């Protein structure tokens, strides 16, 4: 195992820097700022530093592609802090590093999708905060986070908390500095937590560091490996369970203190910056060199740039992006990327010429992304025969299957959506798909393209809801889709049950319970109450929803 003492950190977290300095490592700190590309080799030459580990930490504010990673003679690492929002470009960028670390364990397979060989779990960390007894804290509950119309579920959660806090002290803040936030947590007892896409977030570690009792959504084994539910924090499945547990904890301050102390002790024993530093150095010391080299470096730098450019994260002239693509071997990844860029830049003539060449010369006929992008680009150009041709090229590239042939645009988009679901490409989390600019590259992109033309297309709404149902964080979107469906299928108790559960998981207590009672009433009228109860039981882990109905 290689001994590592000289670290080059690119855009590191300050707490990690302090831990490395305390441990006696020799450090070079590099800040990329707002540069779209950062030349690592030039920076190392400028500072005369020969690192034994280079690690870049993803930052939220600025997105920078580090170049020259292939030139350094030491392990290289990328710490993906927000893979739940950025896996669509992380998976390309990971190819430039020996190791990619993900704060979210369940996102590792998606980061590996484009060929990254070494992706590890490295969770977020807390910090050592002073302990303040619960009796001396001023706030019963607090929440700090962005509250915007783009996050309706969070707005509904805040509304619920304000109603729940009658007779208690509550602080809701959406714009605090880190220091002020930690001071607020240190003066609070209970911190309700909400995530974007079912990710284990900073709030859990930050509040636990201050000895608060965190009430977090039930995220399963990954979260439970970090903190023990029922002892160091607690979980809820929906707003009914959150309501029930908050009532219990607000009336049991000793229990709140015991659990908050246990959470803080877990942070101190396992989740400090020095623990993460030791882990990342250990990972690096055993890492093998598997980053891309040679012409592959330019390829994956460019594919990362394309993905960022499409999402509006990288400001580059389209001519620059196209020139980078033109300089590369035209394999399937590059051909598909070129079509996406031409679509985003509305270069319809160039895109049409490109499609002709691909079809005429049977280029990359067995590459899913080329056939998908080609089919979607052809639909954009109203070239129906071309769109079908790309679909049939895709079918011929795999095992023989009997599928109904596409008869129109909607049926073709639906076929592609189902195909992408089979490939586990349901959503591009964090990517704001715009039907006017982007080619559909996920199942939901395809279905949203249909709905952009016919918002009340019932088969598409049903299929979309089925695909989104297992994905945490999309309940608020499902409420909208289901509401349209219920306008046309007013007596379907199963739909009413789904909208009830989606509402309750989006913190809409009153409307969720009303829909739940309506679903039961419909089922009873149809002589299917026993089926309703069985269906509810599989989704009601604590039995609180069944208990509510029994009281009624």
């Amino acid at each position: 195992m290689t001994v590592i003492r000289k670290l080059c950190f690119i855009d590191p977290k300050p707490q990690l820097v302090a831990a490395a300095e305390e441990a006696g490592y020799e450090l070079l700190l590099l800040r990329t700022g707002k540069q779209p590309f950062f030349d690592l080799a030039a920076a190392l030459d400028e500072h005369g530093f020969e690192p034994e580990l280079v690690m870049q930490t993803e930052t939220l504010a600025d997105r920078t592609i580090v170049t020259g990673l292939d030139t350094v003679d030491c392990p290289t690492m990328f710490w993906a802090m927000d893979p739940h929002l950025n896996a669509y470009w992380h998976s390309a960028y990971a190819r430039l590093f020996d190791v990619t670390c993900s704060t979210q364990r369940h996102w590792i397979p998606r980061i590996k999708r484009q060929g990254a060989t070494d992706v590890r779990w490295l969770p977020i960390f807390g910090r050592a905060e002073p302990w303040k007894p619960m009796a001396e804290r001023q706030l019963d509950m607090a929440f700090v986070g962005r509250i915007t119309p783009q996050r309706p579920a969070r707005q509904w959660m805040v509304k619920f908390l304000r109603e729940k806090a009658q007779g208690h002290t509550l602080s809701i803040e959406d714009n605090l500095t880190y220091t002020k936030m930690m001071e607020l947590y240190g003066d609070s007892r209970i911190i309700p937590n909400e995530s974007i896409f079912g990710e284990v977030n900073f709030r859990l570690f930050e509040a636990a560091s201050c000895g608060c009792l965190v009430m977090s959504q039930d995220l399963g084994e990954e979260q439970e490996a970090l903190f023990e539910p029922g002892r160091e924090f607690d979980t809820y499945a929906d707003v009914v369970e959150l309501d029930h547990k908050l009532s219990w904890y607000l009336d049991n301050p000793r229990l709140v203190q015991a659990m908050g102390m246990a959470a803080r002790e877990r942070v101190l024993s396992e989740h400090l910056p020095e623990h993460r530093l030791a882990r990342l150095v250990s990972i690096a010391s055993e890492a093998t060199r598997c980053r891309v080299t040679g012409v592959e470096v330019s390829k994956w730098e460019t594919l990362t740039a394309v993905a960022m450019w499409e999402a509006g994260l990288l400001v580059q002239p389209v001519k620059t992006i196209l020139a980078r693509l033109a300089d590369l071997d035209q394999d399937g990844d590059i051909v598909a990327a070129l079509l996406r860029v031409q679509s985003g830049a509305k270069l319809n003539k160039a895109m049409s010429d490109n499609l002709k060449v691909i079809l005429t010369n049977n280029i990359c006929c067995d590459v899913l992304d080329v056939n998908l992008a080609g089919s979607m680009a052809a639909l954009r150009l109203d070239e129906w025969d071309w769109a079908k041709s790309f679909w049939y090229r895709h079918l011929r590239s795999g095992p023989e299957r009997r599928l109904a042939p596409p008869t129109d645009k909607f049926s073709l988009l639906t076929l592609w959506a189902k195909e992408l679901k089979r490939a586990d490409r349901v959503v591009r989390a964090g990517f704001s798909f715009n039907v006017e600019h982007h080619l559909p590259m996920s199942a939901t992109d395809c279905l949203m393209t249909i709905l952009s033309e016919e918002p009340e297309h019932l088969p598409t709404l049903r299929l979309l809801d089925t695909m989104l149902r297992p994905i945490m964080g999309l309940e608020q979107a499902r409420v909208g889709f289901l509401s349209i469906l219920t306008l046309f299928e007013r007596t379907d108790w199963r739909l009413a049950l789904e909208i009830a559960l989606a509402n309750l998981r989006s913190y809409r207590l009153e409307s969720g319970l009303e829909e739940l009672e309506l679903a039961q009433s419909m089922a009873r009228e149809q002589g299917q109450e026993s089926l309703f109860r069985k269906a509810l039981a599989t989704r009601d882990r604590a039995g609180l929803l069944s208990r509510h109905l029994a009281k009624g």
Side-chain angles (χ1 to χ4, degrees):
M1 184 177 290
T2 305
V3 176
I4 295 174
R5 299 305 302 171
K6 299 177 68 175
L7 311 178
C8 173
F9 282 172
I10 305 171
D11 297 328
K13 297 290 183 184
Q15 301 92 329
L16 200 68
V17 173
E21 291 174 339
E22 178 69 22
Y25 286 97
E26 186 177 347
L27 285 175
L28 173 63
L29 307 181
L30 300 176
R31 303 288 178 181
T32 59
K34 297 184 179 298
Q35 302 177 64
F37 298 94
F38 181 84
D39 189 335
L40 174 61
L44 293 176
D45 285 344
E46 179 185 346
H47 290 86
F49 192 79
E50 295 184 4
E52 296 168 349
L53 166 64
V54 171
M55 187 192 74
Q56 180 188 8
T57 303
E58 179 192 4
T59 62
L60 183 62
D62 303 307
R63 309 296 185 182
T64 298
I65 297 172
V66 174
T67 63
L69 288 160
D70 56 316
T71 65
V72 295
D73 189 22
C74 68
T76 58
M77 300 178 66
F78 176 64
W79 197 354
M81 303 302 287
D82 294 307
H84 56 290
L85 297 177
N86 296 300
Y88 63 88
W89 65 264
H90 286 172
S91 58
Y93 197 46
R95 296 294 297 272
L96 299 169
F97 295 84
D98 296 318
V99 182
T100 294
C101 294
S102 169
T103 58
Q104 310 300 318
R105 185 170 65 183
H106 66 286
W107 280 90
I108 288 176
R110 299 189 186 184
I111 297 174
K112 286 184 173 182
R113 179 167 284 155
Q114 286 186 293
T117 57
D118 195 349
V119 186
R120 312 285 188 96
W121 185 32
L122 191 67
I124 300 161
F125 51 80
R127 69 182 200 178
E129 289 289 324
W131 167 256
K132 186 176 184 179
M134 292 295 175
E136 299 176 14
R137 303 190 185 201
Q138 301 300 308
L139 296 168
D140 291 310
M141 293 189 291
F143 180 82
V144 181
R146 293 181 181 177
I147 304 164
T148 67
Q150 289 71 42
R151 298 285 301 278
R154 182 165 289 181
Q155 289 183 315
W156 297 331
M157 182 189 75
V158 166
K159 179 177 182 292
F160 161 76
L161 290 176
R162 287 187 170 130
E163 293 170 354
K164 184 67 178 176
Q166 299 296 320
H168 300 280
T169 51
L170 167 71
S171 178
I172 303 291
E173 300 288 345
D174 66 357
N175 189 25
L176 290 181
T177 64
Y178 183 82
T179 299
K180 290 293 185 183
M181 177 187 69
M182 296 303 283
E183 289 176 359
L184 181 69
Y185 287 157
D187 204 29
S188 305
R189 300 181 183 92
I190 301 173
I191 306 298
N193 192 13
E194 182 255 0
S195 64
I196 300 174
F197 280 115
E199 78 283 358
V200 178
N201 58 23
F202 279 98
R203 193 176 296 109
L204 172 61
F205 290 88
E206 291 160 347
S209 296
C210 297
C212 305
L213 168 57
V214 180
M215 292 293 304
S216 187
Q217 291 157 300
D218 184 3
L219 306 180
E221 294 179 359
E222 180 173 334
Q223 185 173 235
E224 292 172 8
L226 299 166
F227 293 93
E228 183 180 342
R231 182 177 177 274
E232 297 165 339
F233 81 122
D234 210 344
T235 64
Y236 61 92
D238 54 44
V239 69
V240 173
E241 190 170 9
L242 177 61
D243 182 45
H244 174 78
K245 288 188 172 181
L246 283 178
S247 295
W248 168 254
Y249 287 121
L250 288 168
D251 287 341
N252 288 274
R254 288 187 179 181
L255 180 57
V256 170
Q257 172 151 310
M259 294 177 69
M261 291 178 68
R264 180 173 173 273
E265 288 300 318
R266 185 69 178 269
V267 171
L268 294 175
S269 64
E270 294 183 22
H271 301 316
L272 292 177
E274 48 262 45
H275 298 128
R276 298 298 182 261
L277 175 67
R279 177 61 181 148
L280 70 87
V281 171
S282 174
I283 291 171
S285 66
E286 63 186 27
T288 58
R289 185 160 182 159
C290 57
R291 73 195 97 150
V292 294
T293 58
V295 296
E296 289 287 290
V297 174
S298 294
K299 171 184 173 177
W300 292 102
E301 287 176 351
T302 300
L303 288 173
T304 304
V306 167
M308 288 183 175
W309 179 85
E310 282 185 281
L313 300 177
L314 190 74
V315 179
Q316 287 276 281
V318 67
K319 288 183 179 179
T320 301
I321 297 292
L322 290 171
R324 291 182 67 104
L325 288 167
D327 285 342
L328 298 167
D329 291 338
Q330 300 299 296
D331 64 11
D333 295 315
I334 300 303
V335 170
L338 178 58
L339 287 171
R340 301 202 312 271
V341 172
Q342 289 172 337
S343 172
K346 296 188 179 299
L347 302 174
N348 289 354
K349 175 63 166 60
M351 188 162 65
S352 177
D353 292 342
N354 196 5
L355 293 177
K356 287 179 185 176
V357 171
I358 295 170
L359 286 174
T360 301
N361 296 284
N362 209 24
I363 295 171
C364 303
C365 60
D366 58 349
V367 179
L368 185 150
D369 276 355
V370 172
N371 290 324
L372 171 62
S375 188
M376 298 299 100
L379 287 180
R380 178 71 50 83
L381 298 172
D382 292 323
E383 295 286 356
W384 173 242
D385 288 339
W386 293 359
K388 286 192 300 181
S389 294
F390 278 107
W391 167 249
Y392 287 122
R393 282 190 357 149
H394 169 68
L395 285 187
R396 287 193 296 270
S397 69
E400 185 176 349
R401 286 180 287 156
R402 293 184 178 276
L403 297 175
T407 56
D408 57 21
K409 179 178 180 179
F410 285 6
S411 65
L412 179 58
L413 285 164
T414 301
L415 284 168
W416 273 117
K418 292 177 178 178
E419 198 70 3
L420 291 167
K421 171 67 167 60
R422 291 178 69 247
D424 191 30
R425 290 170 56 171
V426 177
V427 298
R428 283 191 281 178
F431 186 93
S432 183
F433 175 68
N434 183 322
V435 70
E436 297 296 326
H437 297 284
H438 302 129
L439 296 181
M441 298 302 289
S442 73
T444 51
D445 292 348
C446 294
L447 298 180
M448 292 304 296
T449 300
I450 296 174
L451 294 177
S452 70
E453 297 188 21
E454 192 173 325
E456 295 181 351
H457 193 258
L458 301 187
T460 297
L461 288 168
R462 290 191 198 95
L463 182 57
L464 185 60
D465 181 63
T466 299
M467 289 189 179
L468 297 186
R469 191 178 302 167
I471 303 175
M472 181 176 287
L474 296 177
E475 293 86 359
Q476 61 198 34
R478 291 183 58 232
V479 168
F481 304 145
L482 290 164
S483 296
I484 298 173
L485 283 171
T486 55
L487 293 175
F488 295 90
E489 301 178 19
R490 296 179 182 274
T491 61
D492 188 337
W493 63 261
R494 291 177 177 82
L495 270 181
L497 175 60
E498 288 300 330
I499 198 171
L501 296 174
N503 270 308
L504 293 174
R505 287 168 185 160
S506 300
Y507 304 94
R508 303 181 74 184
L509 181 61
E510 184 176 341
S511 58
L513 291 177
E514 287 176 357
E515 289 286 350
L516 187 66
E517 292 163 7
L518 176 62
Q520 178 182 243
S521 176
M522 288 179 184
R524 183 179 294 143
E525 290 174 1
Q526 297 167 31
Q528 296 182 5
E529 188 170 5
S530 62
L531 290 176
F532 167 82
R533 292 193 176 280
K534 288 178 182 177
L536 177 61
T538 63
R539 315 278 286 281
D540 181 22
R541 70 170 194 177
L544 294 173
L545 303 183
S546 297
R547 239 177 285 171
H548 169 80
L549 292 174
K551 288 179 183 177

